Amino acid sequence: MMLQKSYVFKSRADCAECEQAIDLALGNKEIKSIPEPSWYAPPIDEMGQAVFFEKINDGSVWVLVLPERVSFGYWKQIK
């Protein structure tokens, strides 16, 4: 799975594949977990739990929103 672009999951399997890619990137020290940024305002329709990451090479901040009820979640750059 690509972690270089934003992606709306079409299934729970898509989310699981992204989580595996994140685990690999964490292990390779390509990204790091960070607390929720103070400036982050979740979209009104965001339902799932949000987990935040920073890419080591460029400092970009990304959010993984986990599946919740009717939403399969997404991976998106927020900064």
Side-chain angles (χ1 to χ4, degrees):
M1 164 146 285
M2 67 289 136
L3 295 180
Q4 296 83 15
K5 65 177 187 169
S6 297
Y7 186 76
V8 176
F9 305 132
K10 294 178 176 47
S11 69
R12 290 186 182 269
D14 281 352
C15 183
E17 185 179 333
C18 183
E19 288 178 302
Q20 290 175 348
I22 288 170
D23 287 344
L24 183 62
L26 285 167
N28 291 335
K29 308 258 190 263
E30 297 168 8
I31 62 173
K32 64 181 181 179
S33 297
I34 60 170
E36 180 175 331
S38 60
W39 47 262
Y40 181 70
I44 196 164
D45 61 344
E46 186 174 289
M47 292 192 246
Q49 176 187 357
V51 186
F52 299 87
F53 300 92
E54 182 179 335
K55 288 195 174 180
I56 303 300
N57 66 341
D58 65 6
S60 60
V61 177
W62 294 71
V63 62
L64 170 66
V65 176
L66 300 171
E68 180 71 27
R69 290 177 276 201
V70 298
S71 170
F72 292 124
Y74 57 85
W75 168 253
K76 179 172 93 171
Q77 184 174 359
I78 57 172
K79 177 183 172 223

